[in-house]
Amino acid sequence: SPSAAAPATRAESAALPGVKAVTPQEIVARSVSESARASIDMDAAPHYQLTLDLDWGLFTYSGSETIAFKNTETDALTELNFLLYPNGEELAAPGTKHLLVKDVRVDGAVVAAEQHGDRLRIPLSAPLAQQASVVVTMDFKGVIYRQEPGAGDMQKLALNQLMQMVMGESKARGGYGVFSYGDRIVSLGLWYPVLAAYDAHGWDVENGGSVGDVSYFDVANYDVTITAPADVAVVSTGVEIDRTVEGNTQRLRVLAGAVREFTVEASKDFGHQSATVDGVVIRSWFLKDHAASGAAVLEHASGALRLYNQLFGPYPFRELDVVEAPLQGGAGGGEFPGLVTIGTMFYASDA
């Protein structure tokens, strides 16, 4: 984090020790198809740099976030608001937190951020005028929600949903499983503080419903460094541009341009198959003992992408990952930028 005596600038916001800074233009060029770049206002989009250090033994993680934000609204902003999804009521019991944020700074100066449930409010020392920019940094630690054994089993899901209707409960514990560990797979959806959208009604800080997405976010550019055990297969939004291995640890750097969020899936038991469709690399990731199902997913996903290109125009990203994931709560699939998950309940064992 930058010191209070040396505030960071927007141009410096992507620089971490030992990591070469990249521009929004480079992020978009590396991860977005050429045909889609003309429609992107790269200077207006928030610019995230995230680090993620995954502890596979404890299923915890730590990280840091730097976000360069430009106010493109007509209103002067007196605060910034972030979603802390792991602290939502479907994941965290009252009084507990799965995501703890600390050392929040605005342009290098420490600020007293307020955490209320799944929301983080950061006050600004002076109103941020239209077209003015600010750089926010913070550190965080997280505990990954652990699913109960068999949480994704279809029969168990049906029974749990029946019990919820009888008992009048609106939300299943663990949500849809997008932030969880289960079936040998870690799913990290919305694992970091995500800047809330600002619209005609102000900041979108309304609690999400029991069905569908918890919120929505503005398009942003991401530069993410992930540290994990070397024997863990890591899949994410975006395009991997670098990977180094030292001993039992790997370090990956991923760029993702013009996306609304950044999602990570990981497993020690992942295998994959790949194909290229109209210049887009598509990969199917699956547990190794589900290889036949994983191959079928690749075939169907390739056909779907080809049809999409014919009906709607070129797919905007350079890569597409389709990943087996431990979904629950009635969800058979989940959609993220450049990454689609399919519930492990739909994959059959090869044995």
Side-chain angles (χ1 to χ4, degrees):
S1 299
S3 66
T9 67
R10 184 174 177 82
E12 295 170 340
S13 65
L16 284 179
V19 178
K20 181 182 177 182
V22 294
T23 64
Q25 289 78 7
E26 183 177 353
I27 292 175
V28 171
R30 292 283 197 104
S31 59
V32 177
S33 65
E34 187 173 356
S35 62
R37 292 177 207 163
S39 62
I40 301 172
D41 185 350
M42 289 175 283
D43 184 58
H47 184 113
Y48 286 84
Q49 186 180 41
L50 301 171
T51 65
L52 168 63
D53 191 344
L54 183 60
D55 187 325
W56 197 264
L58 298 175
F59 295 109
T60 62
Y61 62 93
S62 59
S64 63
E65 176 171 330
T66 298
I67 177 171
F69 171 76
K70 182 177 183 179
N71 181 14
T72 59
E73 308 298 332
T74 56
D75 299 331
L77 303 177
T78 59
E79 63 186 39
L80 301 178
N81 285 271
F82 291 75
L83 172 70
L84 307 179
Y85 173 68
N87 293 342
E89 61 181 32
E90 63 190 28
L91 292 170
T96 65
K97 295 178 180 178
H98 281 275
L99 182 60
L100 179 64
V101 179
K102 62 179 183 178
D103 194 21
V104 180
R105 299 173 182 240
V106 176
D107 287 338
V110 176
V111 297
E114 302 173 7
Q115 297 185 52
H116 300 287
D118 63 354
R119 301 292 165 172
L120 174 70
R121 176 184 172 274
I122 300 177
L124 301 178
S125 59
L128 187 67
Q130 185 180 25
Q131 300 302 312
S133 298
V134 69
V135 175
V136 176
T137 62
M138 64 188 83
D139 297 324
F140 53 84
K141 292 184 177 180
V143 177
I144 302 168
Y145 179 86
R146 296 199 192 194
Q147 295 184 8
E148 296 180 3
D153 180 81
M154 284 189 178
Q155 291 183 341
K156 188 172 183 178
L157 281 171
L159 180 59
N160 286 343
Q161 288 175 343
L162 177 61
M163 291 300 297
Q164 289 168 24
M165 288 188 290
V166 172
M167 301 298 294
E169 298 177 357
S170 60
K171 291 191 177 183
R173 178 61 61 189
Y176 291 128
V178 299
F179 178 83
S180 70
Y181 171 74
D183 295 322
R184 297 173 282 162
I185 302 169
V186 163
S187 286
L188 293 179
L190 302 172
W191 51 276
Y192 58 97
V194 190
L195 182 67
Y198 189 92
D199 56 26
H201 303 287
W203 290 104
D204 178 38
V205 293
E206 183 180 0
N207 291 330
S210 59
V211 177
D213 296 337
V214 296
S215 191
Y216 76 101
F217 313 103
D218 288 329
V219 168
N221 298 315
Y222 284 81
D223 178 1
V224 184
T225 300
I226 303 171
T227 303
D231 59 348
V232 172
V234 178
V235 190
S236 75
T237 298
V239 174
E240 180 183 315
I241 64 165
D242 186 55
R243 180 177 182 267
T244 59
V245 178
E246 295 183 7
N248 297 323
T249 301
Q250 63 177 321
R251 188 185 192 195
L252 310 151
R253 191 174 184 189
V254 183
L255 302 181
V259 298
R260 296 187 185 276
E261 57 191 282
F262 189 95
T263 300
V264 178
E265 304 286 329
S267 177
K268 289 190 174 185
D269 295 304
F270 269 159
H272 78 277
Q273 295 185 21
S274 62
T276 301
V277 175
D278 298 334
V280 176
V281 177
I282 180 170
R283 299 183 184 91
S284 171
W285 295 86
F286 46 83
L287 294 174
K288 292 176 181 177
D289 50 343
H290 297 166
S293 294
V297 166
L298 178 62
E299 179 181 357
H300 289 293
S302 297
L305 181 58
R306 191 173 293 109
L307 182 61
Y308 176 96
N309 291 338
Q310 293 170 1
L311 295 178
F312 302 106
Y315 178 73
F317 301 117
R318 290 185 177 274
E319 298 183 2
L320 171 62
D321 293 294
V322 185
V323 191
E324 179 177 356
L327 301 179
Q328 61 170 43
E335 304 78 36
F336 305 95
L339 187 153
V340 177
T341 59
I342 299 177
T344 194
M345 67 187 80
F346 296 115
Y347 289 73
S349 175
D350 296 332

